[in-house]
Structures are given as structure tokens and as C-alpha cells.
């Protein structure tokens, strides 16, 4: 599943490749992917609009189309490809945006879990997923004063708390495993057992891990490869996720499930607190 660094990498590539282009038309082959409008309205609002900017909130990509914003979530397998108009349609291409310059942007998704919402610019702040999303590690609001009291009220595993997008946005499974290793926190530590010092480390290492991953174009794991020819090189930097030996103490890395998610940690470096 693409995580924040992959989505950020896709955003930067798309901005470079399709920023400023004008959409002549759009074909929607899987209508259920467009969530908030019927397809005819969706097409009508998008036609002849120019992509002014592409931004990102958490794992949502935002295409700014003059007065409208197209919100795209890649979910498990979504990717974008830029192809010439004449290139044959792949069976996994479910939306095709035709630009006035003869190129196309194709949304490719083998699982069809990806979603599109088209909203008026002025309604962005009330768009539910965005409204409910907590700040990202890089945001100014992400401080010990913000995060510590929230964690103090929760008894769930710190791993699950950090995956909760309402608390902290954009930190997915791979990166939470890495952050907890760097903090020396056992993934099953109850959230309220985190001290202020731990919270400070969580913020610091979240920023560091994400920054490094973005710099390297994200992490390529299993079926996910970033579109547009970007290869994630962060995998080489992973310390515990999918690893067998701890890089610090050389103990074997443990693999467990926390909240149903594959969790890797070092028993020795990440001691459990009760
Ligand atoms: Zn270790």
C-alpha cells in the first residue's frame, strides 16, 4: 500500500508532468470509483479545466482544477501513468483524463479500491476525510503539547495509535514500525504509558523517517511501485520492517500482529512496558 512518502513522490512527479495541462474530457470506466457525484456531472465539471496545482493532505492527492478540487486516494494499488492518446487502454486503467495537448493521464488500479471525489474548492475544509485528519508529523500543530495529552487518554497499543489518521496523519505501517524501533518503544506499549520524552522522540523520528523516505522516492514493497518511473529506494534504509536481524544488537527481529497489521520489532531494544 502506498504510504505518505510514495504519495508525495507521485504528487511531485504528477505536478511536474501534468501541472498546467487542460483536461479536454475524462472517461470513467468504473463509475463506483467516483464517490460523491454521478459520472455525467463529474465529467461535465472537469471538462476544459486546467490543473492549476497538485497538493496532498495525508494520503489524499488534490488536483486543483480552477474552482473544483479532484480528490484522489490510491488505496492499495492505485497508480497514475502518463501516456499518449493513441496508446491502447490497459484493462486496469479505470479513469482516463484526456489533455488538450494529445497526452492522457490514466488511473490504473488492479484492485479497484481507489476513490475519487470532486468537490468545490470552498468545501474542502468540510470534506469529511480531510476534516477528521490529524496533523502530519511536519505540521506546526504536531507538538508534544498536542500529541502527549491524546496518547495519555488512550490505552490502545502505541502502534495502533500512530496508525490512527485522526491522531497523526500519513504515518503508515512500514514507517510506524521504523519509528517505534528508533524510539526504543515496544509496539504493544499502551499509549498512556508513553512519557513526554517518548512523544518528543515519536515526533522527531516520524519527521526524520518520512523525510528520508521522500528523498528516496518512497519504499517499494511487494506489488507497489511508484508510477512514472520513480523507484522507491527507501527499502534499503529500513531497520526493522521485514528485517531478520536487529542492526543495533544483532538479536533476531520478532514478527507479530498488532491491530491486524504486520509488526516487526527487536525484543531487546524495544522493551515492553506494562
Ligand atoms: Zn536490538
Amino acid at each position: 500500500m502506498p504510504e505518505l512518502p510514495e504519495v508525495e513522490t507521485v504528487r511531485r512527479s504528477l505536478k511536474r508532468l501534468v501541472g498546467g495541462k487542460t483536461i479536454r474530457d475524462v472517461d470513467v470506466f468504473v463509475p463506483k470509483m467516483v464517490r460523491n457525484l454521478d459520472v455525467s456531472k463529474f465529467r461535465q465539471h472537469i471538462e476544459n479545466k486546467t490543473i492549476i496545482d497538485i497538493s496532498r493532505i495525508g494520503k489524499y492527492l488534490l488536483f486543483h482544477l480552477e474552482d473544483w478540487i479532484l480528490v484522489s486516494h490510491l488505496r492499495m494499488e492505485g497508480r497514475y501513468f502518463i501516456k499518449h492518446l493513441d496508446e491502447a487502454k490497459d484493462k486496469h486503467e479505470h479513469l482516463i483524463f484526456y489533455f488538450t495537448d494529445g497526452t492522457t493521464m490514466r488511473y490504473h488500479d488492479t484492485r479497484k479500491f481507489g476513490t475519487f471525489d470532486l468537490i468545490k474548492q470552498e468545501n474542502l475544509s468540510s470534506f469529511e476525510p480531510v476534516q477528521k485528519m490529524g496533523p502530519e508529523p511536519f505540521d506546526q500543530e504536531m507538538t508534544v503539547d498536542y500529541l502527549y495529552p491524546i496518547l495519555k487518554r488512550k490505552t490502545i497499543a502505541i502502534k495502533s495509535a500512530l496508525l490512527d489518521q485522526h491522531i497523526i496523519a500519513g504515518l503508515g505501517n512500514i514507517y510506524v514500525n521504523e519509528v517505534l524501533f528508533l524510539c526504543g518503544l515496544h509496539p504493544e506499549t499502551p499509549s498512556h504509558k508513553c512519557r513526554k520524552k517518548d512523544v518528543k522522540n515519536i515526533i522527531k523520528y516520524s519527521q526524520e523517517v518520512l523525510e528520508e523516505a521522500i528523498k528516496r522516492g518512497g519504499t517499494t514493497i511487494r506489488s507497489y511501485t511508484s508510477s512514472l518511473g520513480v523507484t522507491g529506494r527507501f527499502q534499503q534504509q529500513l531497520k526493522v520492517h521485514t528485517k531478520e536481524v536487529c542492526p543495533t544488537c544483532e538479536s533476531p527481529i520478532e514478527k507479530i500482529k498488532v491491530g491486524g497489521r504486520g509488526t516487526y520489532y527487536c525484543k531487546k531494544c524495544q522493551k515492553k512496558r506494562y
Side-chain angles (χ1 to χ4, degrees), residues 135-246:
E136 286 185 14
F138 305 112
D139 290 347
Q140 280 188 342
E141 308 101 270
M142 185 52 74
T143 59
V144 173
D145 287 342
Y146 162 79
L147 191 55
Y148 179 74
I150 294 176
L151 297 178
K152 210 70 206 157
R153 290 197 299 269
K154 297 206 177 276
T155 53
I156 55 167
I158 186 65
K159 168 85 193 263
S160 304
L162 297 184
L163 281 175
D164 184 341
Q165 303 296 303
H166 307 125
I167 299 175
I168 179 166
L171 219 51
N173 194 44
I174 301 169
Y175 301 103
V176 170
N177 285 341
E178 293 296 304
V179 167
L180 290 176
F181 174 77
L182 292 167
C183 294
L185 281 170
H186 190 290
E188 288 177 319
T189 306
S191 297
H192 69 278
K193 295 278 180 191
C194 288
R195 302 172 191 127
K196 277 201 170 159
K197 188 187 92 206
D198 299 319
V199 176
K200 206 173 148 192
N201 281 335
I202 288 169
I203 296 170
K204 177 181 155 211
Y205 289 120
S206 297
Q207 290 170 346
E208 278 185 23
V209 164
L210 289 180
E211 235 162 68
E212 189 63 27
I214 291 167
K215 221 163 69 188
R216 291 172 182 271
T219 310
T220 306
I221 292 230
R222 290 202 201 104
S223 58
Y224 183 77
T225 45
S226 174
S227 63
L228 310 164
V230 182
T231 312
R233 288 172 292 117
F234 188 68
Q235 195 162 15
Q236 300 156 8
Q237 305 298 308
L238 295 175
K239 290 187 165 64
V240 279
H241 189 83
T242 67
K243 298 290 168 188
E244 284 176 1
V245 177
C246 172

Side-chain angles (χ1 to χ4, degrees), residues 181 246-251 253 266-270:
F181 174 77
C246 172
T248 307
C249 73
E250 297 185 345
S251 300
I253 294 296
C266 173
K267 225 198 279 196
K268 218 164 151 189
C269 297
Q270 296 168 264

Side-chain angles (χ1 to χ4, degrees), residues 263-274:
T263 301
Y264 297 81
Y265 73 101
C266 173
K267 225 198 279 196
K268 218 164 151 189
C269 297
Q270 296 168 264
K271 287 252 173 1
K272 203 164 178 174
R273 282 182 215 158
Y274 297 93

